[in-house]
Amino acid sequence: MNKEATESGLNREGPEVVTFGETMALFMPTGPKGIEYSPLLDKLFGGAESNVAIGLARLGHKVGWFGRLGSDPLGRMIYKRIRGEGVDVSRSVLTNDAATGLMLRETVSGKSSVYYYRRNSAASGMKPEHLDESYIAQARILHVTGITPALSESCRETLLEAIRLARKHGTKVCFDPNLRLKLWSADQAKEALLPLAEQADYFLPGLDELKLLYGTQDFSEIESRLRKLTGTCIVKGDRETHIVGKDRTISVPFFQVDNVVDTVGAGDAFCAGFLSGVLRELPVEEAVRLGNLLGSLVIQFEGDWEGLPTAEQVEAALGNKAHIER
């Protein structure tokens, strides 16, 4: 591919959901040994936004993901694999200006550790001028996360501009804070993420994230803060998901899982399921239930997105096809 390689026109009608952000190559030991002693590593990839995009594509939705990847073997691998999952990558760029980010993950004695190599990566160089206004304008939903503004100041400006464009054209905004304290301090995160929550049509935080962002362990106080937001607030708890409305909170229990293999990617799977429900115009409780189901399915597989189910697998798991039909 050329220095600024792109691909055109995978979806003439355009995607229902557009998302963008950092996707990195991922290497994990093959077998039970840690990275230091494992002779073999599996070559994978992961990124919160691309995970959601793949989840939605597998459920039959038109979805687009864009970002900046290095024009290197890892970047080309990621580009092709996301495209191969049926996601429109027509606005993504492979550049020679910077390398693709990398993460290593291992589980030793039951403890998972992640090592990141992302400083000055291609993804961290995203700028507002890289956005395609018409691409965002035609989508029903723009999905973003709090990882992007933590990467660099230009990434933060890009996210803010994308939200501005979405609101300008009536595109709904879904925001998952995806708090990463390895990227910035709690104070920096609060300053950047809380204003984004106020602009979101769908705010999808985890309860632990809210405890840190709001500086309290008191759920009633958290509820009070959330009720002041204008969007739909969905809080992922420990055993259930809470729908915090203006005058009441509805809790939807998780699905029981006996064989938990890898919890990474559960939040992204939930988001894909929830947004699928929104796109299908299901009642919010049913959309949350669908999100809970995807979360329960993906944690039974190793990897960030590999266990995301197809629409047929979701139908089989629910035992009721009507739940996810358009």
Side-chain angles (χ1 to χ4, degrees):
M1 294 187 181
N2 296 329
K3 181 177 179 180
E4 297 289 322
T6 62
E7 184 174 280
S8 62
L10 293 183
N11 265 322
R12 292 184 180 180
E13 297 179 4
E16 300 171 276
V17 177
V18 166
T19 186
F20 71 96
E22 175 194 49
T23 295
M24 293 185 288
L26 165 64
F27 286 87
M28 297 173 58
T30 300
K33 295 180 181 179
I35 295 169
E36 184 176 356
Y37 300 105
S38 178
L40 299 174
L41 297 175
D42 288 329
K43 182 182 67 176
L44 309 166
F45 70 90
E49 298 86 0
S50 57
N51 293 347
V52 172
I54 291 171
L56 283 165
R58 287 189 178 181
L59 293 178
H61 296 285
K62 292 181 178 179
V63 57
W65 171 86
F66 64 90
R68 293 179 71 80
L69 298 163
S71 185
D72 49 41
L74 297 178
R76 291 192 292 271
M77 177 269 293
I78 293 169
Y79 183 91
K80 293 174 184 176
R81 292 288 297 276
I82 296 176
R83 181 181 62 186
E85 286 291 330
V87 176
D88 178 23
V89 294
S90 62
R91 271 60 176 182
S92 292
V93 169
L94 293 168
T95 177
N96 287 322
D97 294 339
T100 303
L102 171 66
M103 56 180 163
L104 307 176
R105 190 163 78 230
E106 65 180 359
T107 300
V108 178
S109 301
K111 179 183 178 182
S112 293
S113 299
V114 184
Y115 306 91
Y116 295 105
Y117 303 88
R118 71 205 320 174
R119 187 181 299 275
N120 298 321
S121 69
S124 70
M126 285 187 291
K127 299 177 181 179
E129 53 263 38
H130 295 150
L131 297 172
D132 182 338
E133 180 173 353
S134 64
Y135 195 65
I136 294 172
Q138 59 77 46
R140 290 176 60 183
I141 298 172
L142 169 71
H143 172 65
V144 295
T145 81
I147 296 174
T148 303
L151 297 176
S152 68
E153 184 58 34
S154 69
C155 282
R156 182 176 179 178
E157 292 171 356
T158 304
L159 182 69
L160 292 173
E161 177 63 7
I163 292 174
R164 187 190 72 80
L165 293 174
R167 300 190 69 83
K168 171 184 174 182
H169 294 285
T171 299
K172 300 291 186 182
V173 176
C174 175
F175 174 54
D176 184 338
N178 252 307
L179 183 59
R180 297 289 188 269
L181 292 181
K182 285 190 175 183
L183 288 172
W184 53 6
S185 69
D187 288 340
Q188 289 174 315
K190 290 178 186 179
E191 180 183 354
L193 302 184
L194 291 179
L196 296 177
E198 296 175 358
Q199 299 184 65
D201 296 283
Y202 307 103
F203 181 39
L204 275 59
L207 181 56
D208 288 343
E209 291 173 320
L210 289 178
K211 289 178 179 178
L212 192 151
L213 291 173
Y214 288 150
T216 179
Q217 300 290 313
D218 186 347
F219 185 62
S220 62
E221 185 176 342
I222 290 173
E223 285 179 298
S224 179
R225 296 282 296 272
L226 292 174
R227 294 192 207 283
K228 296 177 182 178
L229 300 179
T230 58
T232 300
C233 299
I234 309 296
V235 181
K236 295 161 284 187
D238 295 328
R239 298 178 180 275
E240 53 196 358
T241 303
H242 309 285
I243 306 167
V244 181
K246 296 303 178 185
D247 52 11
R248 66 171 181 155
T249 297
I250 300 172
S251 297
V252 182
F254 290 169
F255 286 80
Q256 181 66 39
V257 175
D258 297 323
N259 182 36
V260 177
V261 175
D262 187 355
T263 60
V264 174
D268 302 329
F270 171 87
C271 184
F274 173 75
L275 289 179
S276 178
V278 170
L279 292 170
R280 298 173 193 277
E281 300 182 355
L282 297 181
V284 65
E285 289 181 55
E286 286 301 307
V288 167
R289 183 168 180 259
L290 184 56
N292 283 352
L293 178 63
L294 259 69
S296 73
L297 293 174
V298 80
I299 63 176
Q300 298 178 60
F301 295 84
E302 188 173 57
D304 283 33
W305 55 269
E306 287 81 354
L308 288 164
T310 63
E312 292 75 18
Q313 290 169 328
V314 170
E315 289 170 359
L318 283 172
N320 184 349
K321 187 175 181 179
H323 274 289
I324 65 164
E325 286 191 342
R326 292 182 184 275

